[in-house]
């Protein structure tokens, strides 16, 4: 399936809605197939699995005839219907089925529908070891859980076909013709590309008239997930081959040069203090990634985010320097104002945790460092009243925002995408309906953040080079690489 473009999504109140969701609303087609319908029709899947499509279709036709004969079309192909037939009817039907197929084809179902609750069925079909039966069930579930797979579509065809032969399917002749044509075409036939979706939509069409048997479904899934263990599926990325030593030394040399420049030649240059301050914060975050091997971690993402944000801020300040009286001081007092707010709150708060990581006294000293705090404004909106997105656009770095910052923000805010990616592991056992398991053993590793950290450090240094002209020999080949 071709993916829909972002421009095809409808933007409603800050939310992108995919074109499919617009049409399908809350039907949740695949979910209802896998959870609500497949358990009813797994028996058909077992026959297809055993015989293949062509022979399977022949066997199933014969069985459908037997079903029709036993109760004249009162029941449908749902297995819960079959199990609800009277004992006498079940005995006749199962005897007839066993004259068409051997026990072992449906025997896997006896693991779920056991003697204690379904004595007639279990006695008629039980055969083979538990392991053998379990394996077949898992294989067939795996093939049929996707509601669009060829095997699922074959099963869904049978459902419709039975309605047709018992005279309960009412639709235009052209559509009936397509239905009748379906079993005679192979799946790789071009015409099937049109007929398969038609079969599936027809089967969805009958949902509104069919009643879901929750008792049956719950018993099915409970039994089947009890039988098998979780098979956790996670991605592992090694950080063994990441080489950072030489590069970090080169970066250190650059920072040492710039730091000396500030301290020795222009100690009171506020612009330089701000730019180097921001750049040093980025450097320290990147250094933490290296020293604490955060390459494949959640915290690593937080580091990339701040490196991007700092770089955008540096570019923004440089770009808007001319239009402000003193953007460097304004920028400093914007940040100090936010600290003042915290200090003020802490004074008003009765309960203060002495073990807190916030050092209120030190904060207070910082707030009063150059100016009495009474003269410092507190601005709770963004610096210069522009969010980081607008700032990124202003400085021509929209992609850094759209491709990196936004993703890393999901991690910073603990949004579900980040939670799903980092903290939940998929179980690939189809019998468990592909559920998720909390990753409490920390098995799930994430993609390495180092190439992006390095790119952002390099771009930060290159920006400083434009402003201060760093000696050529310090801009090594590795630092000169942009991406
Ligand atoms: Zn599981």
């Amino acid at each position: 399936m071709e993916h829909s473009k972002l421009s095809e999504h409808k933007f409603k109140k800050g939310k992108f809605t995919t074109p499919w969701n617009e049409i399908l609303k809350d039907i949740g087609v695949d979910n209802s197939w896998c959870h609500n319908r497949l358990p009813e029709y797994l028996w058909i899947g077992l026959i297809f699995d055993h015989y293949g499509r062509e022979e399977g279709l022949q066997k199933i036709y014969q069985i459908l005839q037997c079903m029709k004969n036993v109760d004249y079309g009162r029941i449908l192909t749902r297995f819960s219907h079959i199990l609800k037939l009277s004992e006498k009817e079940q005995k006749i039907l199962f005897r007839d089925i066993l004259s068409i197929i051997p026990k072992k084809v449906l025997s896997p179902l006896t693991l779920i529908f056991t003697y204690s609750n379904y004595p007639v069925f279990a006695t008629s079909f039980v055969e083979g070891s538990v392991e053998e039966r379990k394996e077949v069930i898992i294989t067939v579930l795996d093939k049929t859980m996707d509601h669009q797979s060829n095997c699922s579509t074959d099963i869904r065809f049978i459902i419709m076909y039975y309605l047709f032969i018992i005279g309960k399917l009412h639709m235009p002749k052209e559509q009936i013709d397509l239905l009748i044509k379906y079993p005679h075409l192979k799946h790789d036939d071009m015409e099937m590309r049109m007929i398969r979706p038609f079969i599936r939509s027809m089967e969805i069409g009958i949902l509104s008239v069919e009643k879901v048997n929750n008792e049956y479904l719950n018993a099915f899934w409970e039994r089947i997930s009890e039988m098998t263990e979780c098979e956790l599926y996670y991605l592992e990325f090694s950080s063994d081959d990441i080489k950072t030593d030489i590069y970090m030394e080169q970066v250190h040399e650059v920072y040492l040069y710039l730091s000396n420049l500030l301290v020795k030649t222009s100690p009171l240059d506020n612009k330089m203090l701000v730019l180097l301050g921001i750049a040093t914060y980025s450097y320290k975050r990147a250094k933490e990634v290296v020293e604490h091997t955060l390459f494949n971690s959640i915290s690593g993402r937080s580091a990339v985010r701040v490196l991007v944000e700092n770089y955008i801020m540096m570019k923004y300040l440089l770009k808007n320097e001319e239009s402000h009286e003193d953007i460097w001081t304004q920028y400093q007092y914007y940040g100090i104002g936010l600290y003042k707010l915290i200090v003020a709150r802490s004074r008003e708060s009765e309960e203060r945790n002495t073990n807190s990581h916030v050092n209120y006294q030190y904060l207070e000293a910082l707030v009063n460092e150059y100016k009495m705090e009474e003269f410092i404004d507190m601005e709770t909106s963004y610096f210069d009243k522009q969010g980081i997105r607008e700032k990124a656009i202003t400085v021509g770095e929209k992609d850094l925002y759209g491709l990196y910052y936004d993703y890393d923000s999901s991690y910073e805010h603990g949004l579900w995408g980040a939670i799903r990616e980092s903290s939940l592991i998929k179980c690939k056992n189809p019998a468990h309906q592909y559920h998720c398991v909390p990753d409490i053993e920390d098995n799930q590793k994430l993609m390495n953040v180092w190439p992006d950290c390095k790119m952002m450090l390099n771009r930060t240094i290159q920006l400083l080079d434009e402003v201060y002209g760093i000696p050529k020999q310090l801009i090594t080949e590795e630092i000169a690489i942009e991406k």
Side-chain angles (χ1 to χ4, degrees), residues 230-231 427 429 432 435:
C230 280
E231 287 174 52
C427 162
N429 181 350
H432 294 190
H435 64 145

Side-chain angles (χ1 to χ4, degrees), residues 365-390:
L366 291 179
V367 170
N368 289 283
E369 192 174 15
Y370 295 112
K371 227 189 210 183
M372 289 278 286
E373 67 172 271
E374 275 63 36
F375 300 104
I376 299 171
D377 291 333
M378 292 184 285
E379 174 70 75
T380 50
S381 153
Y382 302 105
F383 171 67
D384 224 14
K385 312 237 180 291
Q386 261 192 350
I388 185 73
R389 183 173 176 272
E390 285 77 39

Side-chain angles (χ1 to χ4, degrees), residues 108 111 128-138 227-228:
L111 276 181
S129 75
V130 171
E131 281 310 312
E132 277 165 9
R133 285 179 281 167
K134 207 193 285 186
E135 209 182 299
V136 176
I137 290 210
I138 304 286
M227 278 175 353
T228 52

Side-chain angles (χ1 to χ4, degrees), residues 225 228-232 426-437:
S225 57
T228 52
E229 295 287 324
C230 280
E231 287 174 52
L232 300 180
K426 195 93 174 158
C427 162
K428 61 179 176 183
N429 181 350
H432 294 190
Q433 302 179 71
Y434 303 111
H435 64 145
C436 285
V437 177

Side-chain angles (χ1 to χ4, degrees), residues 423-465:
S423 306
L424 297 170
I425 312 183
K426 195 93 174 158
C427 162
K428 61 179 176 183
N429 181 350
H432 294 190
Q433 302 179 71
Y434 303 111
H435 64 145
C436 285
V437 177
D439 181 26
I440 51 171
E441 304 307 337
D442 193 21
N443 285 316
Q444 175 67 69
K445 297 287 178 256
L446 301 162
M447 285 281 275
N448 179 13
V449 297
W450 185 242
D452 293 328
C453 281
K454 195 169 159 184
M455 170 187 76
M456 288 319 300
L457 262 187
N458 282 354
R459 292 180 71 170
T460 305
I461 294 173
Q462 285 153 19
L463 186 65
L464 291 169
D465 183 33

Side-chain angles (χ1 to χ4, degrees), residues 300-338:
R301 277 141 180 78
S302 167
V304 175
R305 182 181 189 259
V306 96
L307 260 76
V308 169
E309 184 161 2
N310 283 352
Y311 175 72
I312 291 172
M313 186 58 85
M314 286 167 76
K315 275 187 97 171
Y316 182 84
L317 293 171
L318 285 166
K319 191 174 178 182
N320 290 282
E321 191 179 7
E322 298 299 321
S323 58
H324 289 61
E325 200 183 313
D326 181 1
I327 199 167
W328 311 104
T329 307
Q330 280 172 8
Y331 173 74
Q332 286 170 294
Y333 277 103
Y334 166 75
I336 290 296
L338 294 176

